[in-house]
C-alpha cells in the first residue's frame, strides 16, 4: 500500500475555498440561465460586471450578497437588486491607508462647509440618470429588455468616458434598480424627493427635477427630512435656497422624531443613546404640511378629507397615549393594505396614464439610501408598516401602501445618482454600506477635519504620555484612540481593532450623534438674518409643540467606555442590523441628536 502523502492545514483550507468557488459559480449559472428578466450570465465579482447585458470597462463591486440556494419562490432572485458600485483598485485602497496614517489632520476653513449644487452635479453635463428608451406595444418583452440594456450601457459609457474614476462618485450600476425608479415614476401622480437636511444638495439631482417637472409634467415635492438634526436657521436657509433655484418645487419639512430645539444642551450626551418608547411614529413633524402641498397640487380633483381626519386621529392618539409600548400601538391601529410588487407590475403600462385614477392619488417616494424614505412612510401611517434599516439597499423593490382609501404611497428603493462628490462624504451620508467599506479611515479623517471628534469623544492620543500635551492627530490615531477607549481588540493578537473603531465612528456620524451639517452658499454672511427669520421662530415653536411629551417615555443608556457591558450600540458596530433609517436619537435629555447636535458642536464648526 503506497504511503499517504502529507496534507497540510493550508492545503485543506485551499481545497475548501476551491470547493466553495465551484459551488458559487454553479449557482450563479443556474440563476442567470433561468432569470426571466435578464438572459445575460452574471459574472464573478472579480470580473467586470453590470446588472445585465454588456459590461463596461470598469470594475464593478456587488454589495449586500444574500444567501440563497438557487432561485426563490416564483423565480425570485434575492440578489437581483444588489448595489453595484465601481470597485476601488488595490493601489488606491493602499494609497488611502497610507494617507490615513501619515497625513496630519487640520481644521478646514468655513468655505469647505458650503455645498453648491452646480459644483456637485454640473447640470447639463452627462451626469444624468438613465431614461427608459421609447417603446411600443408591438415590441416583445425580450426586445424591450434588450433595448433597455443597450441604452443603459451607452449611458454608462458616456459617463466613464467623460470623467475619470478619481473624480466620479459612487453611483448605481445595476439596471434592475433603475427599472424600479422608472416604474415608480410611471405610476405616480405626485413625486416626493426625500433629502437629508444635513446635506440636501447631495440628495437632490437636478436631472431628476427637470425630468419630473418637464417631460413627465408631474408635481415634485422636496421633503427636507431629519430637520431635528440641524439648527432651525440652517433648515430655513436651505428651504429658501431651493425655492430660489427651483421655483416649481413644493417644499415640506419633515422628521419622524421631533425634538424641542430650546432644550438645554449637555456636551457629555454624545456618548449616550436613547431608546424610543410608546407612540413614537405618531409624533412625526410634517404630515400636515405634506397634506397641504398635496391639496394645492390636486386642486380638489381628489377627496383628501380622509387623510386630514387620519392626521387629527393621530394627534389625538399621541396626546392621550400612555407609552405602553410599540407592540400595543401597532395592534390597535387600523389595517394598512400592503402590495408587494412582482415582475407583473414591471410590465409596460403605456406612455400615457390616467391621472388620479378611480379617485386615488398615488404618491411616489424616491431618494438616495438612508434619507428616511421608509421612515417617512411610517411617520405618515402613524406606526411601523415598512421595514427600515441604516444599511443602503435594504428596500430592494418598490411596494405600495394605502394610507387612506384615496391616498396610495409608493416606496422606491434608494438610488445613487452620478455626481462629483468626494466618496468620503458619500460614506458619511450613508450611501455605501459601512460594514463593507474596504478603507474607512479617510472618511473618519474627512469627518474629524470638519468637527472636533477628539474633543467630543474625549479621546487621548495613543502616543501621548502626558494627556495635557498637544499631539498632531491623523485619521489612524483617532481610530486607534477610539478602539482603546471602547475596548475594541483583535481576536488573536489583542491589538486595538482600528477597523471596527472606524466603522463605529462612521455609524455615530450616520446616526447624527456626531453631526456634520453643510451650508448653502452665503449662509455664514447672512447667519444673523436666518436666525431672526420669522420662519425660524415658527419652526422652533412647532418642534416644541409636537416633540416628546415627557421623559417617562424614554430611557437612557450611556455607552460603556471599557466595553464591559456590550450594549446595542456595540452590536451595531459589528453588523448592520435592523436599525432605523432615522435612528431615534430625538429624546430630550438623553442623546446628542435628541436635542440639537449643531448647538453642541457650535454652528461655526458644523
Amino acid at each position: 500500500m503506497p504511503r499517504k502523502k502529507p496534507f497540510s492545514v493550508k492545503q485543506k483550507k485551499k481545497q475548501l475555498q476551491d470547493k466553495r468557488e465551484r459551488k458559487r459559480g454553479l449557482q450563479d449559472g443556474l440563476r442567470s440561465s433561468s432569470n426571466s428578466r435578464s438572459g445575460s450570465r452574471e459574472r464573478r465579482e472579480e470580473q467586470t460586471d453590470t446588472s445585465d447585458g454588456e459590461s463596461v470597462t470598469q470594475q464593478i463591486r456587488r454589495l449586500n450578497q444574500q444567501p440563497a440556494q438557487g432561485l426563490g419562490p416564483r423565480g425570485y432572485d434575492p440578489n437581483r437588486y444588489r448595489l453595484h458600485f465601481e470597485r476601488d483598485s488595490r493601489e488606491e485602497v493602499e494609497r488611502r491607508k497610507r494617507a490615513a496614517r501619515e497625513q496630519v489632520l487640520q481644521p478646514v476653513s468655513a468655505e469647505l462647509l458650503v455645498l453648491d449644487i452646480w459644483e456637485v452635479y454640473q447640470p447639463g453635463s452627462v451626469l444624468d440618470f438613465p431614461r427608459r428608451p421609447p417603446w411600443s406595444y408591438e415590441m416583445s418583452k425580450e426586445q424591450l429588455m434588450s433595448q433597455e440594456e443597450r441604452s443603459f450601457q451607452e449611458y454608462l459609457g458616456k459617463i466613464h468616458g467623460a470623467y475619470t474614476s478619481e473624480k466620479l462618485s459612487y453611483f448605481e450600476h445595476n439596471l434592475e434598480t433603475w427599472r424600479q425608479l422608472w416604474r415608480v415614476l410611471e405610476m405616480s401622480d405626485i413625486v416626493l424627493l426625500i433629502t437629508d437636511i444635513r446635506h440636501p444638495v447631495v440628495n437632490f439631482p437636478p436631472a431628476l427635477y427637470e425630468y419630473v417637472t418637464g417631460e413627465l409634467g408631474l408635481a415634485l415635492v422636496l421633503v427636507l427630512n431629519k430637520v431635528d438634526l440641524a439648527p432651525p436657521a440652517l433648515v430655513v436657509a436651505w428651504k429658501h435656497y431651493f425655492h430660489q433655484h427651483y421655483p416649481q418645487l413644493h417644499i415640506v419639512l419633515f422628521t419622524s422624531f421631533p425634538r424641542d430645539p430650546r432644550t438645554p444642551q449637555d456636551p457629555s450626551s454624545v456618548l449616550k443613546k436613547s431608546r424610543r418608547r410608546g407612540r413614537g411614529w405618531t409624533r412625526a413633524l410634517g404630515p400636515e404640511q405634506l397634506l397641504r402641498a398635496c391639496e394645492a397640487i390636486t386642486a380638489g380633483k381628489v377627496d383628501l378629507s380622509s387623510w386630514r381626519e387620519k392626521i387629527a386621529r393621530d394627534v389625538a392618539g399621541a396626546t392621550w397615549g400612555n407609552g405602553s409600548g410599540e407592540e400595543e400601538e401597532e395592534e390597535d391601529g387600523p389595517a394598512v393594505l400592503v402590495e408587494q410588487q412582482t415582475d407583473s407590475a414591471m410590465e409596460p403600462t403605456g406612455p400615457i396614464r390616467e391621472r388620479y385614477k378611480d379617485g386615488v392619488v398615488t404618491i411616489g417616494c424616491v431618494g438616495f439610501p438612508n434619507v428616511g424614505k421608509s421612515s417617512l412612510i411610517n411617520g405618515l401611517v402613524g406606526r411601523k408598516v415598512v421595514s427600515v434599516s441604516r444599511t443602503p439597499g435594504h428596500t430592494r423593490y418598490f411596494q405600495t401602501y394605502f394610507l387612506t382609501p384615496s391616498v396610495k404611497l409608493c416606496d422606491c428603493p434608494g438610488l445613487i445618482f452620478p455626481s462629483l462628490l468626494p466618496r468620503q462624504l458619500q460614506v458619511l451620508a450613508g450611501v455605501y454600506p459601512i460594514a463593507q467599506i474596504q478603507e474607512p479611515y479617510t472618511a473618519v479623517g474627512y469627518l474629524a477635519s470638519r468637527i472636533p471628534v477628539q474633543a467630543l469623544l474625549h479621546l487621548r492620543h495613543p502616543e501621548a504620555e502626558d494627556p495635557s500635551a498637544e499631539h498632531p492627530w491623523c485619521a489612524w490615531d483617532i481610530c486607534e484612540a477610539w478602539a482603546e477607549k471602547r475596548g475594541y481588540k483583535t481576536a488573536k493578537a489583542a491589538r486595538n481593532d482600528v477597523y471596527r473603531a472606524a466603522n463605529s465612528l462612521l455609524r455615530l456620524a450616520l446616526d447624527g450623534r456626531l453631526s456634520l451639517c453643510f451650508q448653502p452658499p452665503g449662509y455664514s454672511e447672512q447667519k444673523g438674518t436666518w436666525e431672526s427669520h420669522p420662519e425660524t421662530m415658527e419652526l422652533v415653536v412647532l418642534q416644541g409643540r409636537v416633540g416628546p411629551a415627557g421623559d417617562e417615555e424614554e430611557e437612557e443608556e450611556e455607552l460603556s467606555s471599557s466595553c464591559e457591558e456590550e450594549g446595542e450600540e456595540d452590536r451595531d458596530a459589528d453588523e448592520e442590523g435592523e436599525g432605523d433609517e432615522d435612528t431615534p436619537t430625538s429624546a430630550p435629555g438623553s442623546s446628542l441628536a435628541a436635542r440639537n447636535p449643531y448647538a453642541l458642536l457650535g454652528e461655526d464648526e458644523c
Side-chain angles (χ1 to χ4, degrees), residues 392-411:
H394 178 73
T395 304
R396 294 183 178 84
Y397 47 85
F398 75 93
Q399 304 179 51
T400 57
Y401 311 86
F402 276 89
L403 181 63
T404 68
S406 61
V407 180
K408 181 167 67 172
L409 304 175
C410 186
D411 186 17

Side-chain angles (χ1 to χ4, degrees), residues 208-223:
L208 182 64
Y209 167 81
E210 299 293 341
Y211 179 73
V212 172
T213 60
E215 296 186 32
L216 297 183
L218 299 178
L220 182 63
V221 179
L222 175 64
V223 179

Side-chain angles (χ1 to χ4, degrees), residues 32-80:
S32 59
S33 62
S34 52
N35 192 339
S36 61
R37 302 279 295 175
S38 169
S40 62
R41 186 178 182 86
E42 188 177 10
R43 276 74 169 175
R44 294 267 299 278
E45 233 184 29
E46 289 76 11
Q47 298 176 345
T48 58
D49 167 58
T50 58
S51 60
D52 34 19
E54 301 294 330
S55 62
V56 295
T57 57
Q58 308 298 324
Q59 288 281 343
I60 301 302
R61 187 182 183 199
R62 297 171 293 170
L63 307 176
N64 294 347
Q65 169 73 26
Q66 299 296 317
Q69 297 294 331
L71 292 173
R74 299 183 181 180
Y76 173 71
D77 180 7
N79 292 308
R80 179 167 150 189

Side-chain angles (χ1 to χ4, degrees), residues 185-422:
L185 295 179
E186 287 174 356
M187 67 185 299
S188 297
D189 301 312
I190 300 173
V191 178
L192 301 188
L193 177 57
I194 298 97
T195 62
D196 191 325
I197 190 58
R198 293 173 291 180
H199 34 68
V201 165
V202 174
N203 312 129
F204 186 88
L208 182 64
Y209 167 81
E210 299 293 341
Y211 179 73
V212 172
T213 60
E215 296 186 32
L216 297 183
L218 299 178
L220 182 63
V221 179
L222 175 64
V223 179
L224 299 177
N225 199 15
K226 306 183 184 182
V227 296
D228 58 306
L229 298 183
L234 185 62
V235 174
V236 175
W238 275 120
K239 178 181 177 181
H240 283 263
Y241 173 83
F242 283 103
H243 262 313
Q244 178 183 357
H245 292 89
Y246 303 97
Q248 298 185 50
L249 281 178
H250 301 261
I251 300 181
V252 172
L253 308 181
F254 199 95
T255 178
S256 299
F257 306 100
R259 50 85 196 158
D260 189 349
R262 296 167 294 188
T263 306
Q265 304 301 309
D266 180 12
S268 64
S269 60
V270 69
L271 294 178
K272 296 180 181 179
K273 184 173 184 176
S274 63
R275 292 178 179 174
R276 183 179 73 250
R277 284 184 177 180
R279 301 177 178 268
W281 296 108
T282 59
R283 293 195 298 265
L285 167 66
E288 190 168 353
Q289 290 187 37
L290 181 57
L291 170 61
R292 290 199 297 266
C294 292
E295 286 177 338
I297 294 169
T298 56
K301 298 178 182 177
V302 179
D303 183 12
L304 299 179
S305 59
S306 59
W307 190 359
R308 185 169 294 281
E309 294 171 0
K310 182 187 183 309
I311 292 177
R313 289 196 305 268
D314 291 343
V315 172
T319 303
W320 58 257
N322 56 3
S324 56
E326 239 179 83
E327 294 182 1
E328 178 181 340
E329 172 189 344
E330 294 184 9
E331 293 175 358
D332 293 342
V336 176
L337 178 60
V338 180
E339 299 177 348
Q340 294 189 359
Q341 306 298 337
T342 58
D343 281 353
S344 61
M346 298 297 293
E347 298 295 336
T349 55
I352 300 177
R353 192 182 68 86
E354 179 184 352
R355 195 74 57 85
Y356 312 127
K357 186 177 181 180
D358 300 327
V360 177
V361 56
T362 302
I363 303 176
C365 302
V366 301
F368 279 58
N370 268 315
V371 295
K373 297 182 298 298
S374 299
S375 294
L376 180 138
I377 291 180
N378 290 335
L380 293 177
V381 173
R383 66 183 189 278
K384 184 175 180 179
V385 295
V386 188
S387 174
V388 295
S389 173
R390 70 180 111 182
T391 305
H394 178 73
T395 304
R396 294 183 178 84
Y397 47 85
F398 75 93
Q399 304 179 51
T400 57
Y401 311 86
F402 276 89
L403 181 63
T404 68
S406 61
V407 180
K408 181 167 67 172
L409 304 175
C410 186
D411 186 17
C412 179
L415 276 158
I416 301 95
F417 290 69
S419 68
L420 302 181
L421 278 171

Side-chain angles (χ1 to χ4, degrees), residues 347-581:
E347 298 295 336
T349 55
I352 300 177
R353 192 182 68 86
E354 179 184 352
R355 195 74 57 85
Y356 312 127
K357 186 177 181 180
D358 300 327
V360 177
V361 56
T362 302
I363 303 176
C365 302
V366 301
F368 279 58
N370 268 315
V371 295
K373 297 182 298 298
S374 299
S375 294
L376 180 138
I377 291 180
N378 290 335
L380 293 177
V381 173
R383 66 183 189 278
K384 184 175 180 179
V385 295
V386 188
S387 174
V388 295
S389 173
R390 70 180 111 182
T391 305
H394 178 73
T395 304
R396 294 183 178 84
Y397 47 85
F398 75 93
Q399 304 179 51
T400 57
Y401 311 86
F402 276 89
L403 181 63
T404 68
S406 61
V407 180
K408 181 167 67 172
L409 304 175
C410 186
D411 186 17
C412 179
L415 276 158
I416 301 95
F417 290 69
S419 68
L420 302 181
L421 278 171
R423 294 188 175 184
Q424 291 82 6
L425 176 54
Q426 285 191 300
V427 170
L428 292 172
V431 167
Y432 203 101
I434 292 177
Q436 301 184 51
I437 298 176
Q438 294 176 288
E439 186 278 311
Y441 314 108
T442 51
V444 173
Y446 187 94
L447 175 69
S449 61
R450 285 157 178 80
I451 61 174
V453 173
Q454 306 93 306
L456 289 171
L457 299 179
H458 312 292
L459 299 181
R460 177 178 177 178
H461 198 284
E463 299 179 0
E465 297 180 359
D466 182 7
S468 61
E470 291 290 336
H471 291 270
W473 289 84
C474 63
W476 189 273
D477 293 335
I478 293 177
C479 298
E480 191 168 0
W482 182 240
E484 181 68 29
K485 185 180 183 68
R486 301 291 294 130
Y488 298 150
K489 302 293 181 181
T490 58
K492 291 185 178 181
R495 299 189 182 94
N496 289 328
D497 193 342
V498 291
Y499 182 81
R500 181 184 177 189
N503 285 1
S504 174
L505 291 171
L506 294 180
R507 287 191 178 87
L508 288 177
L510 180 59
D511 293 346
R513 294 156 76 187
L514 290 174
S515 183
L516 174 61
C517 298
F518 287 87
Q519 306 165 359
Y523 175 77
S524 299
E525 294 78 6
Q526 303 176 2
K527 180 178 172 183
T529 304
W530 293 120
E531 289 178 343
S532 59
H533 197 279
E535 292 186 31
T536 302
M537 304 303 171
E538 181 183 349
L539 179 59
V540 171
V541 173
L542 185 60
Q543 289 194 58
R545 185 186 307 147
V546 302
D551 293 340
E552 69 276 4
E553 293 189 358
E554 293 145 24
E555 64 181 8
E556 185 176 304
E557 175 190 7
E558 182 162 0
L559 300 183
S560 167
S561 61
S562 61
C563 211
E564 293 177 357
E565 297 178 2
E566 287 286 346
E568 181 181 351
E569 194 273 340
D570 288 332
R571 290 195 297 273
D572 288 345
D574 291 326
E575 57 187 8
E576 293 287 348
E578 280 277 312
D580 285 348
E581 254 182 10

